[in-house]
Amino acid sequence: MSQARLMDGTALARRIIEETGERAAVLTERTGTAPCLATVLVGEDPASVTYVRMKQNRCRKAGITSRHVALPAATTTAELVGAVEALSADPGVHGILLQHPVGDHIDERAAFEAIAPGKDVDGVTFASFATMSFGLPGFVSCTPGGIMRLLDAYGVDPAGKRAVVVGRSAILGKPVGMLLLARDATVTYCHSRTRELSAAVREADIVVAAVGRPRLIRGQDVKPGAVVIDAGYNAGNVGDVDFDSAVERASLITPVPGGVGPMTIATLLEQTVRAAARQLGVAEG
Amino acid sequence: MSQARLMDGTALARRIIEETGERAAVLTERTGTAPCLATVLVGEDPASVTYVRMKQNRCRKAGITSRHVALPAATTTAELVGAVEALSADPGVHGILLQHPVGDHIDERAAFEAIAPGKDVDGVTFASFATMSFGLPGFVSCTPGGIMRLLDAYGVDPAGKRAVVVGRSAILGKPVGMLLLARDATVTYCHSRTRELSAAVREADIVVAAVGRPRLIRGQDVKPGAVVIDAGYNAGNVGDVDFDSAVERASLITPVPGGVGPMTIATLLEQTVRAAARQLGVAEG
């Protein structure tokens, strides 16, 4: 069969960010207040510093102001929770992003739960996970939400299809499976303890690789015509899918980079503007 | 092959309730306070009245006091939320059970979320769903928790096994799948939109039928040697599994009645005493 069509996350994310920028401008004009995303960073991990700076830059371009809270690596759980609670209570902040990891000595969950649900634009709280799982209104985790947008943009309706999610992390594997289930896919979660992973993946009409192991999913594991979403991110811009062999079997496939990655930040910005609109009392278009 | 061994939920539930009663007695003696479960019933649906009365009777036998809040069918969401919040704040109440359904005019989710997480012994809040899903400490939904206890009691380790959950309700299908995933099963969710349900079920080492359609799962759908858990409950004491044909293929199977049903209430009582122990400041044994 012919090579798969690429799912261009860069182009889709650009469109979403443009539309988000337009909505942010309208909101700012109508209310006199620009949407504001607070970013919280504990310590100085170089990758985290880079991520946060990238998010701030994208915010600026979309007309979203950002407020940065930098805390020392030695911050305690109580101090971090206090800082996040202050942002949750601050009417000038519409969305909160707590960059993780926060350090092993901190109870990350306690810090996440200090984010007010209405400001959880990164979709990390218990409440957001539950609303995603139950198909209720709320904020989604950004990467899973971005994956669903990609599927929609390429006309992939999950209803009745078999979806296999490889990975079960709290911010990626578990929520993307729940979002696919809410859209009526038959969803299988595979992970490090799965026996016969290849056989399980071969059942999938939609594969989401989200496990963080370079090239774990090979072309021979892909059912001909399947949609392959590579949400893996490994050193050297390598995904969880062996692209060169999978592209020969899939009907649609995300490249790495330029597939899922850009969608994450687009979802973050979009949700920030939505949160701001709600908090500023402006009905959404 | 020979007939499946029955998983006797009645006997296991009796043992758990006995142990729970012993723990309740010790707790009452040490603290001067008996564990207390508040039951909340809206309206007079006969089935709900029966369920609540049965739960109260079992509580009494286990040394758990119960407090009943009966509200008229015309109760508003705000009134119900207020009543539940009052119980959440009441130090004399250790666990809260809101009997559902509560009536279509009420926002059931708002009422559930008014239950303090530490008193959510029925495992219905967003927080409980998330802790179940992430393998964190917390209360489990009672039927899913009871199913896991049955598996443990019969030596079924889900790790590495393929589990298929048929049904995706918020209090049964979704959480039991998450509990199986947390125990390292490879989990597939099937539902009304699943194509080729029989083929999907035949992959399962563990089948959980939780959909509420009489005899939906037939023997021919069961992989020889599979463990079959029937959490269905249909008129006339009929489960979601066609028992007579499935018993010929399974290795272990729950009868209806006497399988999953009794485990639900045992889990409720057990969690109520655990909640009371925490709130009364007594370490668990």
Side-chain angles (χ1 to χ4, degrees):
Chain A
M1 69 182 290
S2 59
Q3 282 207 338
R5 194 170 153 218
L6 291 190
M7 299 174 89
D8 186 345
T10 304
L12 178 58
R14 190 182 304 127
R15 267 209 304 285
I16 292 172
I17 293 175
E18 275 174 18
E19 290 166 11
T20 297
E22 289 163 16
R23 287 212 301 282
V26 170
L27 189 62
T28 305
E29 195 180 308
R30 285 182 60 176
T31 66
T33 303
C36 175
L37 175 69
T39 53
V40 181
L41 179 63
V42 180
E44 297 176 350
D45 172 64
S48 293
V49 169
T50 302
Y51 283 135
V52 167
R53 192 167 301 150
M54 191 171 70
K55 288 165 186 169
Q56 292 168 332
N57 287 340
R58 295 292 170 80
C59 278
R60 191 174 316 117
K61 286 182 190 165
I64 298 169
T65 62
S66 56
R67 184 185 311 178
H68 188 56
V69 178
L71 298 169
T75 298
T76 66
T77 296
E79 288 165 347
L80 179 56
V81 166
V84 174
E85 283 176 345
L87 295 170
S88 288
D90 186 336
V93 168
H94 306 116
I96 300 171
L97 171 89
L98 171 58
Q99 183 68 40
H100 46 114
V102 291
D104 290 342
H105 66 292
I106 290 178
D107 179 349
E108 181 179 82
R109 178 48 55 189
F112 280 154
E113 292 306 311
I115 299 172
K119 297 186 180 185
D120 182 23
V121 294
D122 202 26
V124 296
T125 58
F126 283 167
S128 292
F129 180 73
T131 53
M132 279 184 273
S133 299
F134 299 157
L136 298 172
F139 295 116
V140 298
S141 302
C142 289
T143 304
I147 289 169
M148 300 308 288
R149 291 292 293 268
L150 263 177
L151 292 174
D152 284 336
Y154 283 86
V156 180
D157 179 5
K161 295 205 172 62
R162 292 210 62 162
V164 171
V165 177
V166 185
R168 52 174 166 169
S169 68
I171 59 160
L172 183 42
K174 283 200 178 95
V176 78
M178 284 291 137
L179 290 172
L180 287 162
L181 182 61
R183 292 282 299 278
D184 294 329
T186 298
V187 174
T188 299
Y189 286 99
C190 297
H191 45 78
S192 57
R193 301 291 300 276
T194 294
R195 294 174 195 152
E196 301 182 23
L197 176 65
S198 297
V201 171
R202 263 197 297 273
E203 296 164 2
D205 302 305
I206 301 169
V207 181
V208 181
V211 73
R213 288 181 56 189
R215 300 192 183 91
L216 176 69
I217 310 298
R218 300 151 305 166
Q220 67 204 69
D221 306 330
V222 174
K223 176 171 155 180
V227 176
V228 176
I229 305 286
D230 189 348
Y233 184 80
N234 307 288
N237 267 334
V238 173
D240 288 354
V241 175
D242 181 50
F243 183 87
D244 291 345
S245 58
V247 74
E248 301 292 339
R249 304 254 288 187
S251 61
L252 285 164
I253 189 169
T254 58
V256 173
V260 170
M263 295 301 298
T264 301
I265 205 161
T267 305
L268 175 71
L269 301 188
E270 192 177 41
Q271 294 196 130
T272 300
V273 174
R274 196 185 309 151
R278 277 188 207 152
Q279 288 163 55
L280 295 169
V282 175
E284 283 161 19
Chain B
M1 67 183 294
S2 61
Q3 283 209 335
R5 195 169 153 220
L6 290 192
M7 301 175 88
D8 186 345
T10 304
L12 178 58
R14 191 182 302 125
R15 269 210 304 287
I16 291 172
I17 292 175
E18 274 173 19
E19 290 166 13
T20 297
E22 289 164 16
R23 287 212 302 283
V26 169
L27 188 63
T28 305
E29 194 179 308
R30 284 182 62 178
T31 65
T33 304
C36 174
L37 175 69
T39 53
V40 181
L41 180 63
V42 180
E44 298 176 350
D45 172 65
S48 293
V49 169
T50 302
Y51 283 134
V52 167
R53 194 168 298 150
M54 191 171 71
K55 287 165 187 170
Q56 291 168 331
N57 287 340
R58 295 293 170 78
C59 278
R60 191 175 315 116
K61 287 182 189 165
I64 298 169
T65 61
S66 56
R67 186 187 308 179
H68 187 57
V69 178
L71 297 169
T75 298
T76 65
T77 296
E79 287 165 349
L80 178 56
V81 166
V84 174
E85 283 176 343
L87 296 170
S88 288
D90 187 335
V93 168
H94 306 115
I96 299 170
L97 172 89
L98 172 57
Q99 183 68 38
H100 47 114
V102 290
D104 289 341
H105 65 293
I106 290 178
D107 179 349
E108 181 179 81
R109 179 46 56 187
F112 281 155
E113 293 306 310
I115 299 172
K119 298 187 179 183
D120 181 23
V121 294
D122 201 26
V124 296
T125 58
F126 283 167
S128 292
F129 179 74
T131 54
M132 279 184 272
S133 300
F134 299 156
L136 298 173
F139 294 116
V140 298
S141 302
C142 290
T143 304
I147 289 169
M148 300 308 290
R149 292 292 292 270
L150 263 177
L151 292 174
D152 285 337
Y154 283 86
V156 180
D157 179 4
K161 294 203 172 64
R162 291 210 63 163
V164 171
V165 177
V166 185
R168 52 175 166 169
S169 69
I171 59 160
L172 182 42
K174 283 202 179 92
V176 77
M178 284 290 136
L179 290 172
L180 287 162
L181 183 60
R183 293 282 298 279
D184 294 329
T186 298
V187 174
T188 299
Y189 286 98
C190 296
H191 45 79
S192 56
R193 299 293 300 274
T194 294
R195 295 175 196 154
E196 301 182 23
L197 176 66
S198 297
V201 171
R202 265 196 297 274
E203 296 165 2
D205 303 304
I206 301 169
V207 182
V208 181
V211 73
R213 286 181 57 188
R215 298 192 183 94
L216 177 69
I217 310 297
R218 301 150 304 166
Q220 66 206 67
D221 306 330
V222 175
K223 176 172 155 180
V227 177
V228 176
I229 305 286
D230 189 348
Y233 183 80
N234 307 291
N237 266 334
V238 173
D240 288 353
V241 174
D242 181 53
F243 183 87
D244 291 345
S245 57
V247 73
E248 302 292 339
R249 304 254 288 187
S251 61
L252 286 164
I253 189 169
T254 56
V256 173
V260 169
M263 295 301 297
T264 300
I265 205 160
T267 305
L268 176 70
L269 301 188
E270 192 177 42
Q271 294 197 130
T272 300
V273 174
R274 195 186 308 150
R278 279 188 203 152
Q279 288 164 55
L280 295 168
V282 176
E284 283 159 23

